[in-house]
């Protein structure tokens, strides 16, 4: 598998990242281990998680995903085959939130313990923290890099002005800069990223590892009516946002491209993102071996220029751009 450089860092990542939000939430430890093994066996190396996963589950406090990954790393000895990414900043209990230097230092040690490793390859700010000066947060990250606890840093959910400001602050103060951005991006959700974030990331050499690559499952084609959406809890919210004239037009285009290729709509949706200039590695999850196989095939799929153009046109929205 051809690896890609992440921003200007020395990290080389597969063109697709495994989203670790499902570990300890929708799949148990044993299945998580099997999927992680299969992910590496298929040639991928990139795994993304966060300290807060999966605090939204009743009885969970956060750290469940990192704990499972840590157990897997310890039992298999595969740490040197993995580019491991996690995040800090989402609420983790009273007083445990944001990007203040003292909390960053506390949170990274907690993540390292759960992950059972001595370093994190990509440590990301999960949210912007307007209450902490950027220089303070970046300075704390710089300490972690010098200590060998972190190799590179990234940002998630930043606006273009704030990301640009963070990059400028890092440059002026000789501090580590954000080498990656994790935004919402897929065939349906295009405009916000493409309007300002994409040109900024391309100009400044920032890697992009977008989340919701399959639009909460909508782009797989399994939700085509309100009746389909009613079959799952996730489908309810999908109906409200995606199940409309534009969404159905996108599904029709995915069907048209997928058919001659012997592919599925979801595979084509991911292949479209991988082919997008500026995208380093979309993030997608799998909760079964069948779903993981779908992701493997998606990363191998090459779309012709006319197929990309058809998908661009079908998914066009205000602010979105074609290639």
């Amino acid at each position: 598998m051809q690896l890609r450089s992440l921003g200007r860092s020395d990290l080389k990542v597969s063109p697709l990242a495994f989203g670790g939000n499902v570990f300890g939430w929708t799949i148990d430890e044993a299945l998580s281990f099997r999927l992680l093994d299969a992910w590496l066996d298929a040639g991928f190396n990139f795994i993304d998680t966060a300290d807060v996963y999966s605090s939204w589950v009743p009885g969970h406090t956060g750290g469940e995903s990192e704990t499972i990954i840590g157990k897997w790393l310890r039992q298999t000895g595969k740490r040197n085959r993995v580019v491991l990414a996690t995040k800090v900043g989402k609420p983790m209990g009273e007083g445990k939130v944001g990007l203040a230097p003292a909390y960053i230092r506390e949170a990274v040690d907690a993540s390292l313990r759960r992950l059972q490793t001595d370093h994190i390859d990509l440590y990301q700010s999960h949210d912007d923290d307007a209450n902490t000066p950027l220089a303070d947060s970046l300075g704390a990250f710089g300490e972690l890099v010098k200590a060998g606890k972190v190799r590179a840093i990234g940002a998630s959910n930043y606006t273009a002005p704030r990301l640009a400001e963070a990059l400028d602050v890092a440059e002026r103060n000789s501090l580590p800069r954000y080498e990656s951005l994790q935004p919402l991006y897929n065939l349906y959700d295009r405009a916000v990223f493409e309007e300002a974030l994409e040109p900024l990331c391309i100009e400044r050499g920032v890697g992009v590892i977008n989340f919701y690559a399959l639009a909460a499952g909508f782009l797989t084609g399994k939700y085509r009516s309100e009746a389909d959406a009613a079959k799952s809890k996730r489908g309810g919210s999908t109906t409200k946002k995606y199940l409309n004239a534009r969404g159905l037009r996108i599904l029709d285009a995915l069907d048209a491209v997928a058919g001659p290729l012997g592919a599925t709509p979801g595979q084509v949706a991911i292949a479209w993102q991988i082919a997008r200039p500026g995208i380093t590695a979309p993030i997608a999850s799998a909760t079964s071996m069948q779903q993981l196989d779908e992701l493997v095939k998606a990363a191998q799929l090459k779309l012709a220029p006319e197929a990309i153009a058809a998908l661009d046109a079908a998914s066009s929205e205000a602010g979105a751009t074609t290639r």
Side-chain angles (χ1 to χ4, degrees):
M1 181 169 297
Q2 188 163 357
L3 301 181
R4 297 176 167 189
S5 296
L6 185 65
R8 296 175 181 170
S9 74
D10 61 358
L11 300 178
K12 305 291 185 182
V13 300
S14 49
L16 199 56
F18 196 111
N21 60 317
V22 295
F23 301 143
W25 174 30
T26 53
I27 56 176
D28 62 17
E29 181 179 295
L31 181 53
S32 299
F33 282 19
R34 291 198 297 274
L35 289 170
L36 286 166
D37 285 334
W39 187 246
L40 265 60
D41 289 344
F44 298 92
N45 70 346
F46 201 8
I47 300 168
D48 176 77
T49 187
D51 58 3
V52 76
Y53 299 163
S54 50
S55 65
W56 56 86
V57 178
H60 287 198
T61 59
E64 288 79 14
S65 174
E66 288 184 333
T67 297
I68 286 177
I69 294 171
K71 289 181 179 179
W72 171 72
L73 289 172
R74 187 195 69 220
Q75 291 185 19
T76 62
K78 296 178 178 179
R79 178 65 183 91
N80 63 345
R81 296 176 56 187
V82 172
V83 175
L84 185 57
T86 192
K87 311 179 197 74
V88 57
K90 291 280 192 186
M92 283 286 286
E94 187 175 353
K96 297 181 178 182
V97 65
L99 301 174
Y103 179 59
I104 288 175
R105 289 190 287 268
E106 174 187 346
V108 75
D109 286 339
S111 285
L112 288 169
R113 284 193 298 271
R114 288 188 292 264
L115 291 165
Q116 300 195 48
T117 182
D118 62 356
H119 72 282
I120 294 163
D121 297 302
L122 179 67
Y123 201 38
Q124 301 158 95
S125 300
H126 209 154
D127 278 323
D128 189 7
D129 180 1
N131 296 317
T132 302
L134 287 165
D136 291 357
S137 299
L138 295 172
F141 285 130
E143 294 173 8
L144 302 184
V145 172
K146 288 180 181 178
K149 294 181 178 182
V150 170
R151 292 178 63 190
I153 61 172
S156 177
N157 300 310
Y158 273 53
T159 64
R162 282 290 282 178
L163 178 60
E165 184 181 356
L167 294 171
D168 291 342
V169 167
E171 184 175 351
R172 285 198 305 268
N173 295 279
S174 299
L175 295 170
R177 66 170 213 148
Y178 289 135
E179 295 294 350
S180 65
L181 174 70
Q182 190 168 145
L184 166 65
Y185 186 64
N186 54 59
L187 259 173
Y188 190 101
D189 300 293
R190 294 182 58 187
V192 172
F193 171 70
E194 292 181 17
E195 184 173 1
L197 284 165
E198 183 178 44
L200 172 65
C201 289
I202 291 174
E203 178 187 355
R204 305 292 290 268
V206 176
V208 176
I209 52 175
N210 53 296
F211 63 88
Y212 276 11
L214 289 172
F218 176 75
L219 296 175
T220 66
K222 67 179 179 180
Y223 303 121
R224 296 175 184 263
S225 68
E226 291 189 11
D228 291 335
K231 295 175 184 177
S232 72
K233 293 180 180 179
R234 199 176 194 185
S237 59
T238 299
T239 302
K240 296 177 183 178
K241 181 172 183 179
Y242 299 117
L243 199 53
N244 51 44
R246 179 168 168 264
L248 293 175
R249 185 172 71 243
I250 292 171
L251 292 185
D252 286 342
L254 287 170
D255 288 339
V257 171
L261 295 173
T264 65
Q267 289 167 358
V268 172
I270 288 177
W272 176 88
Q273 293 167 63
I274 291 175
R276 179 93 190 174
I279 297 293
T280 308
I283 301 169
S285 300
T287 57
S288 68
M289 287 298 179
Q290 181 181 357
Q291 289 182 3
L292 188 137
D293 187 55
E294 288 275 305
L295 297 180
V296 173
K297 292 176 180 176
Q300 298 169 343
L301 193 61
K302 304 298 181 185
L303 300 181
E306 54 268 26
I308 291 174
L311 293 168
D312 284 346
S315 61
S316 178
E317 61 175 327
T321 58
T322 57
R323 287 166 257 184

